[in-house]
Amino acid sequence: MDELKNALPSEGSLECAQKRKLPEESMARYRRNLLLTLGFCLLLADALNWPWGMGNTVTVFAWYLLLALAVGREELFRRRESRVLLGVNLALASTFALTSNPLFRWWNFLALAALVPLHAVSGLGSRPWWDPRMLLERCGLFFQGLFGNLWACFAAAVPEGRKTEKRDGRTLAIVLGLCGAVALVSFLIPVLVSADALFAASLERLNWNFQFRMLHFGDLFQRLFWALAFTPFVFSLLYAMAHPKRLCPAEEKKGLRVDALGFVLALAAVDGLYLAFLAVQSAGLFGGPEYVESLGVSYAEWARSGFFQMVGVTVLNLSLTLASLCLSRREGRAWRALRQLCGLLAGESLILLASAAWKMTLYVSAYGLSFKRCMTYWGMVMMALFLLAGLWKALRPDFRFCKWAFPVALAGWLVINCVPVDYLVAKNQVDRYLSGESPVVSVRYLLYGLSYDTISQLERLDGEKLVSGYTGDPHWRQGETLAEALRGRCREAQWDCAGWRSWSLSACLAAGGFQP
């Protein structure tokens, strides 16, 4: 917690900060940056609304353009760490304008929500990027930047001087009052309309499209309200980055080290358990269906169970390996035994992953691909890479695991974003159905559960066949054919392409096949 305490503003710092003044010679630049910040916050408030698309891409690019103007390009490109993270963030932002998978969009949104702030304060911290403690330090620096310089926004908005003090104070009060009045009225009118039918009928007589316009302008002023609320905090962060007060390197304290014997006992028990488990697994792998069914378990049930659990177990094993190597005293026979047991655990975990991958392959061969199964394959590959790194750390204890794992994790996530997962899933399902391997194809899952990339594969099926569903499905219409469902989905893609904020290349390609 020391990093967080050092990064956050000390008690009384906000009171002292309000006495500060911006230099008069730079006031024009600050006002320009304030206007640009307000424009960015308007874009941000608009991009946060669903549906997502190119608006999110433009928002992230606009943030870095604002950063370059307010802070300077040198700060963005000075360090290799900053350049790499800038490229990663721009690549992740571009996926909103290219793809339309809702899950990937949520995951990329969460990734950007973490990586963009980390990148913003990367030049203010004292710890290197590969030190896990830098996450806590940069979290504190980010919140300090958001809340520690709020005075700068108001100092740039209201000029100093006796002659203009009263006029500017009145102007600011008028602007804030008008914004508050519009926000309150736009919020209260829909509430009152829904509360009283007579009031709603009276308003409808004023104009036939009054309700539409109130909804439209109410949404507009709501975004303006949020933009005005965001602006002081964003400007405060920009000011902190333009006037960096870098932390001095903290004095390294000797880390907590314990006797390795405790970890040796725990690892020995875990390794022995996994050896017994792998022996049973090997009998099932090499014994075939006859051996498995002789134990009263169907081969199909055995094949489709356990792969998710095995992936979770390998995460636990990797954590145990790293904790043992980092917290144990590096001396004596217990340390040597610990390294051997950690190597054995990493090797057993790799075998467990291989077993899980083999069972997943059996399951896929019987039921076909799905989005979750593809992501499970990707997770297995990433875990195998991390386990290999853990095995190397057991052989070379001075190896910095995080210095290797952080870039690999980012690269792996960028790679899976570039793979057309939805298209491959739809192609596999349709190919299996057309070849007779599968008697059914889950049209509703492929059409509405995934992105627009599945439409081109579903068009290979007979469009006159009815689409099955259940009454709880909001997309299901009784007696609807596949051709009608595809036209409806293409119409949704056309609606997404109608606005620049929700536009994406995936939706544009799907809308190109729309026929009214």
Side-chain angles (χ1 to χ4, degrees), residues 166-321:
K166 184 176 181 181
R167 182 188 65 187
D168 292 329
R170 178 169 294 180
T171 302
L172 180 62
I174 292 174
V175 171
L176 294 178
L178 288 176
C179 292
V182 171
L184 288 172
V185 169
S186 63
F187 170 76
L188 289 174
I189 285 182
V191 175
L192 296 177
V193 166
S194 62
D196 188 84
L198 182 60
F199 182 70
S202 300
L203 290 181
E204 286 180 359
R205 291 180 180 179
L206 296 178
N207 199 333
W208 66 272
N209 62 347
F210 176 80
Q211 185 177 4
F212 170 76
R213 292 197 303 177
M214 282 306 302
L215 180 63
H216 178 73
F217 285 105
D219 186 58
L220 175 63
F221 284 114
Q222 183 182 16
R223 294 175 186 176
L224 178 61
F225 170 79
W226 285 112
L228 291 173
F230 292 158
T231 298
F233 300 99
V234 177
F235 191 81
S236 173
L237 179 62
L238 291 173
Y239 184 87
M241 297 175 62
H243 302 80
K245 295 180 180 179
R246 294 180 174 85
L247 298 179
C248 298
E251 182 180 353
E252 292 294 334
K253 299 179 181 179
K254 190 174 181 180
L256 175 66
R257 299 282 182 176
V258 298
D259 195 335
L261 183 58
F263 284 113
V264 167
L265 296 176
L267 287 170
V270 172
D271 285 343
L273 176 63
Y274 285 139
L275 286 176
F277 179 81
L278 289 174
V280 176
Q281 282 278 302
S282 301
L285 291 173
F286 298 106
E290 296 80 8
Y291 174 78
V292 174
E293 292 176 358
S294 66
L295 300 177
V297 180
S298 68
Y299 192 73
E301 179 184 357
W302 175 77
R304 68 169 179 261
S305 64
F307 35 78
F308 293 116
Q309 292 88 335
M310 290 300 98
V311 174
V313 163
T314 53
V315 175
L316 175 63
N317 294 346
L318 180 62
S319 302
L320 179 59
T321 299

Side-chain angles (χ1 to χ4, degrees), residues 363-443:
Y363 190 71
V364 168
S365 64
Y367 297 98
L369 279 176
S370 69
F371 179 81
K372 185 168 67 173
R373 294 162 200 164
C374 287
M375 295 305 296
T376 303
Y377 274 125
W378 173 82
M380 290 177 181
V381 173
M382 297 303 299
M383 280 305 307
L385 294 176
F386 294 147
L387 286 171
L388 289 174
L391 179 59
W392 185 252
K393 186 171 180 62
L395 299 175
R396 298 286 188 272
D398 293 331
F399 171 69
R400 296 188 181 277
F401 177 85
C402 292
K403 192 173 184 178
W404 182 90
F406 286 166
V408 168
L410 291 177
W413 186 245
L414 288 177
V415 167
I416 194 60
N417 270 275
C418 296
V419 175
V421 177
D422 296 344
Y423 174 84
L424 295 177
V425 169
K427 187 176 186 306
N428 175 265
Q429 293 280 357
V430 173
D431 287 344
R432 287 169 49 83
Y433 177 76
L434 294 178
S435 64
E437 292 183 56
S438 176
V440 295
V441 57
S442 181
V443 173

Side-chain angles (χ1 to χ4, degrees), residues 425-476:
V425 169
K427 187 176 186 306
N428 175 265
Q429 293 280 357
V430 173
D431 287 344
R432 287 169 49 83
Y433 177 76
L434 294 178
S435 64
E437 292 183 56
S438 176
V440 295
V441 57
S442 181
V443 173
R444 307 224 66 81
Y445 166 73
L446 296 176
L447 197 58
Y448 297 107
L450 302 179
S451 67
Y452 295 117
D453 299 340
T454 62
I455 293 179
S456 61
Q457 292 300 311
L458 290 174
E459 289 175 343
R460 298 164 52 193
L461 301 175
D462 184 4
E464 298 303 320
K465 287 193 173 183
L466 296 178
V467 178
S468 60
Y470 60 95
T471 54
D473 187 350
H475 299 289
W476 181 64

